[in-house]
Amino acid sequence: MHNLLDGLRVVDTTSIVMGPMASQTMADLGAEVIKVEPPEGDLARASGTPGPDGMGALFANNNRNKRSLALDLKRPDCRAALERLLAGADIVLINMRPKAAARLGLNADTLCARYPRLIHCAATGFGADGPYGGRAAYDDIIQAAAGLAGLAGRVSGVPAYVPSIMADKIGALHVVHAVLAAVIHRQTTGKGMAIEVPMFETLAAFLMNEHLDAATFDASAAPGYARVLTPHRRPYATADGWLAVMPYTRPHWAVMLALIGREAVVSEAWFADAGERNRRAASLYAAAHDG
């Protein structure tokens, strides 16, 4: 392991996956991470299969390479202990709702005024403002709100969650690169800053990368990237197992259609046009499936 972040101290007060995965990534890169938990522990300690000592697998997989302590932040002496940690920290991660953070003095305005070089990152569900501002959130809620569950419904006819905690993990990666960008900014200016990484906006932007599609150029157009929404885009059953195929370009499709005896499709006038192939993705994949 290369200790690329050697010398950076991170105080991580977050729980579950988004914040802990982000701080673990920084720890893996050499940062000193101090995890602060309530006396009852991070909720993830009871999630997943328990190990021999009772520690949940979800907790174990997101909290390696960290030091830790338990503090009841409702107690003044425990808040004072946290303040001593923050005085020597470069980064603090929180995932409390804004009102709770303000009650404990862990909001960005308070901490950034007290420690001008501190990078304060709030890893939240819906963010501090907007119509859903301050609401609690877990991964399934964000998958639904951001449209991921609905996209599955456009394929199968029934909305469904991705069988992975996608919102938390995508959010964690955004926390890492946002924090490291702030570290670079501080090296230039000498000043810390407040960052907010909401799961909802992060996942919505992540999905819209391809699914904005025609609406990228015409606001009245319906979003949705046709190629990945056809129900025929899936591994194909064969005589000796399953086959994953990814025909993307015109030559890819031409070779595949020829192999399955559907050469006639290649001779169609529309086949030479990439836009038409995209619009007809469902029928192309259906032809591949039927072949």
Side-chain angles (χ1 to χ4, degrees):
M1 182 180 71
H2 297 286
N3 292 324
L4 303 176
L5 301 184
D6 187 35
L8 283 181
R9 172 178 282 186
V10 180
V11 175
D12 179 12
T13 70
T14 66
S15 61
I16 311 295
V17 172
M18 182 180 175
M21 179 180 171
S23 66
Q24 176 176 268
T25 302
M26 289 183 263
D28 288 347
L29 292 171
E32 177 192 13
V33 177
I34 302 170
K35 182 175 177 67
V36 177
E37 299 179 61
E40 64 273 17
D42 184 336
L43 288 173
R45 284 184 178 271
S47 298
T49 301
D53 62 354
M55 180 187 293
L58 189 67
F59 182 89
N61 289 331
N62 286 285
N63 288 284
R64 65 175 171 263
N65 290 335
K66 303 179 187 180
R67 301 163 65 192
S68 67
L69 75 161
L71 293 175
D72 182 353
L73 295 179
K74 295 177 182 178
R75 290 174 41 177
D77 59 333
C78 290
R79 289 200 300 274
L82 179 61
E83 291 280 350
R84 291 194 293 274
L85 282 178
L86 293 174
D90 298 284
I91 300 148
V92 61
L93 302 181
I94 70 165
N95 66 345
M96 302 172 192
R97 281 184 272 179
K99 289 183 179 179
R103 283 196 303 270
L104 296 172
L106 296 178
N107 55 313
D109 288 346
T110 298
L111 292 183
C112 290
R114 191 170 296 157
Y115 310 110
R117 287 180 53 81
L118 184 67
I119 295 164
H120 180 287
C121 181
T124 62
F126 287 104
D129 53 17
Y132 304 132
R135 290 189 183 183
Y138 288 101
D139 194 272
D140 289 359
I141 303 302
I142 298 298
Q143 285 199 33
L148 183 55
L151 286 170
R154 292 179 64 174
V155 176
S156 67
V158 180
Y161 301 124
V162 173
S164 179
I165 45 178
M166 294 289 290
D168 269 285
K169 293 190 290 185
I170 290 168
L173 297 176
H174 279 72
V175 166
V176 173
H177 74 237
V179 165
L180 296 185
V183 169
I184 294 171
H185 172 80
R186 190 182 65 179
Q187 289 174 342
T188 303
T189 65
K191 297 178 180 178
M193 64 169 56
I195 302 166
E196 183 181 60
V197 181
M199 279 197 291
F200 172 65
E201 285 87 343
T202 299
L203 185 59
F206 183 87
L207 295 174
M208 288 300 101
N209 179 278
E210 79 276 27
H211 283 293
L212 199 58
D213 199 53
T216 303
F217 309 108
D218 178 2
S220 65
Y225 185 36
R227 188 185 70 80
V228 300
L229 289 174
T230 170
H232 296 294
R233 174 184 169 259
R234 62 178 188 267
Y236 300 131
T238 71
D240 60 352
W242 292 86
L243 179 67
V245 181
M246 173 60 183
Y248 192 72
T249 66
R250 180 185 177 187
H252 292 164
W253 276 110
V255 169
M256 179 175 173
L257 291 167
L259 286 172
I260 62 175
R262 302 299 298 271
E263 297 94 332
V265 176
V266 180
S267 64
E268 297 283 346
W270 57 264
F271 185 81
D273 183 82
E276 281 299 318
R277 289 198 306 276
N278 181 64
R279 281 186 284 275
R280 298 171 189 246
S283 61
L284 274 172
Y285 274 97
H289 181 266
D290 294 340

